[in-house]
Amino acid sequence: MVKSVTVRAPCSTANLGPGFDVFGMALDAFYDEVTVTKKPKSFGIKIVSSDDIPLDPKKNTAGLVAESMMKEQGISDGVEISIKKNVPAGYGMGSSAASAAACAIGIAELFQYTKHFEEEGMLYHAGYGEKASAGTAHYDNVAASLFGGFVVVNPYVHLYHNPNGITVRSFPVPNSLRMVVAIPKISVPKQKTKASRSVIPKNVKFSDVVQNLACATQMIAELSQRKEANGLRFGANILDVIVEPARKKLIPGFDKVKKNALDAGADACTISGAGPSVIAFLDEHPNGSDREPVNTKRIGEAMKKGFKSAKVDCDIVICKPSKGPKIIRRK
Ligand code: HSE
């Protein structure tokens, strides 16, 4: 009988411009590794990690996920959750979500309840874990880490009258799509997502809503093409006139980083999730285009210069979309 399961889940970028809290994409850049081990009931839920993360299960994303899933299924065993963080925490790369997703898959697998945890139910529990860092549940990053590729989540529609069912769709993305992420070396507050959600405007202009909606729906339309989607047309619609203008004030040098990325050939550039990382998108070989292949390294260097103009150093990560999580060990 399997007593212990180890899962690797990818980091992700959320929002992708106009899809605030709705769009997410798994990135083949960093992966968290979570081992869930069955223990006797008296053990309860314990977190083990040598990384700088909360060890109290009520304050840890993975701890909340385990508690929520086990409570729903009436599982009374104890579990040890061992977490190896590789995703930088607090930089808009879906760090807490990667641990949440890995833990959700581990629990489902360990207790052989996979068939009872329908995918959308699993998303509900993994999103619940996000409360630990964001203050409220949101599902874009966890959906990307759970299902891979590009995801669209809708927590407002509950199919089959299941209040825990979050509607989600995962789309394959064009193979030639590349992301350049600039991760600034600045300190971030402990509950960064909560802080960066507090600057989002309460009221917005109707025409801005229409523009974001047009861009968001066009991105989906592009991915829904029967023939291979065009990464350039997908990327060119990554434009956000609502959240980015409010949040960019929290990112020193943002305007310059974005301008430099676009001048160097990126199709789009925006804040990755709640920031402060900035992410540029490009299609290396757009279908039917005679455009010169664009150099991701050049875009990375341009973004670095942008941050430098604000006296901020940054790491540059060039990546593709990730196909999603993987169970790497069963013992
Ligand atoms: N959609 C969330 C936000 C993602 O932007 O606040 C947080 O990573």
Side-chain angles (χ1 to χ4, degrees), residues 57 60-70 99-101 103-105 107 122 125-130 142:
N60 180 293
T61 315
L64 289 175
V65 174
E67 186 187 72
S68 168
M69 286 175 83
M70 291 167 75
S99 296
C103 181
I105 294 166
I107 294 280
M122 208 144 89
H125 292 289
Y128 173 77
E130 286 284 64
V142 268

Side-chain angles (χ1 to χ4, degrees), residues 12-15 19-23 91-97 130 133-134 136 138-141 192-194 196-197 200 243 247 271-275:
S12 58
T13 185
N15 305 336
F20 179 77
D21 274 2
V22 174
F23 290 170
Y91 286 85
M93 306 282 291
S95 176
S96 50
E130 286 284 64
S133 64
T136 49
H138 62 95
Y139 303 91
D140 42 9
N141 288 110
K192 185 244 26 207
T193 303
K194 196 174 177 186
S196 62
R197 286 175 90 85
I200 296 168
V243 180
R247 279 185 168 170
I271 301 168
S272 181

Side-chain angles (χ1 to χ4, degrees), residues 2-321:
V2 176
K3 284 209 168 117
S4 172
V5 178
T6 302
V7 185
R8 272 176 99 226
C11 67
S12 58
T13 185
N15 305 336
L16 292 99
F20 179 77
D21 274 2
V22 174
F23 290 170
M25 189 192 280
L27 300 178
D28 189 19
F30 306 104
Y31 290 78
D32 275 1
E33 216 175 279
V34 175
T35 302
V36 185
T37 307
K38 206 184 273 187
K39 295 282 182 185
K41 183 179 176 178
S42 57
F43 188 88
I45 298 176
K46 285 202 174 65
I47 311 280
V48 180
S49 182
S50 53
D51 299 308
D52 183 21
I53 55 170
L55 298 180
D56 175 351
K58 296 231 180 288
K59 292 191 181 137
N60 180 293
T61 315
L64 289 175
V65 174
E67 186 187 72
S68 168
M69 286 175 83
M70 291 167 75
K71 196 169 161 194
E72 186 199 72
Q73 296 291 322
I75 302 166
S76 57
D77 300 69
V79 278
E80 180 187 273
I81 304 165
S82 169
I83 304 174
K84 194 160 167 254
K85 292 294 302 172
N86 292 311
V87 183
Y91 286 85
M93 306 282 291
S95 176
S96 50
S99 296
C103 181
I105 294 166
I107 294 280
E109 181 72 14
L110 190 62
F111 293 101
Q112 297 172 343
Y113 285 143
T114 317
K115 61 179 186 296
H116 299 296
F117 286 124
E118 286 188 5
E119 288 191 335
E120 292 169 345
M122 208 144 89
L123 175 59
Y124 165 80
H125 292 289
Y128 173 77
E130 286 284 64
K131 271 193 179 172
S133 64
T136 49
H138 62 95
Y139 303 91
D140 42 9
N141 288 110
V142 268
S145 289
L146 272 174
F147 307 120
F150 176 83
V151 294
V152 181
V153 291
N154 184 355
Y156 304 101
V157 170
H158 305 294
L159 295 181
Y160 317 116
H161 306 292
N162 174 6
N164 295 354
I166 311 294
T167 314
V168 59
R169 279 276 184 223
S170 169
F171 294 81
V173 270
N175 279 333
S176 49
L177 194 68
R178 296 288 176 276
M179 273 64 65
V180 183
V181 191
I183 309 171
K185 295 182 183 170
I186 55 175
S187 56
V188 287
K190 267 265 180 259
Q191 283 203 311
K192 185 244 26 207
T193 303
K194 196 174 177 186
S196 62
R197 286 175 90 85
S198 72
V199 304
I200 296 168
K202 300 268 178 298
N203 298 297
V204 295
K205 242 171 57 194
F206 187 67
S207 58
D208 287 349
V209 175
V210 174
Q211 183 172 333
N212 268 30
L213 181 65
C215 290
T217 47
Q218 198 64 51
M219 286 167 69
I220 303 303
E222 195 49 49
L223 294 183
S224 311
Q225 294 292 309
R226 267 195 214 140
K227 52 180 175 38
E228 204 196 337
N230 179 317
L232 171 59
R233 293 174 67 109
F234 171 77
N237 280 285
I238 299 180
L239 277 177
D240 164 27
V241 289
I242 297 176
V243 180
E244 182 185 296
R247 279 185 168 170
K248 70 178 186 179
K249 297 169 192 134
L250 304 174
I251 306 173
F254 175 82
D255 283 334
K256 191 80 178 127
V257 177
K258 178 168 178 165
K259 183 178 184 311
N260 284 5
L262 297 176
D263 287 350
D267 300 327
C269 183
T270 187
I271 301 168
S272 181
S277 294
V278 180
I279 183 163
F281 297 80
L282 73 145
D283 192 336
E284 279 200 321
H285 306 288
N287 301 342
S289 157
D290 54 5
R291 186 177 78 170
E292 289 277 309
V294 180
N295 187 332
T296 45
K297 268 199 187 139
R298 204 173 66 206
I299 294 174
E301 279 156 18
M303 292 171 85
K304 209 173 172 72
K305 270 192 198 150
F307 268 125
K308 217 171 179 179
S309 71
K311 300 194 169 34
V312 172
D313 193 12
C314 71
D315 287 324
I316 297 292
V317 178
I318 296 168
C319 56
K320 298 179 186 178

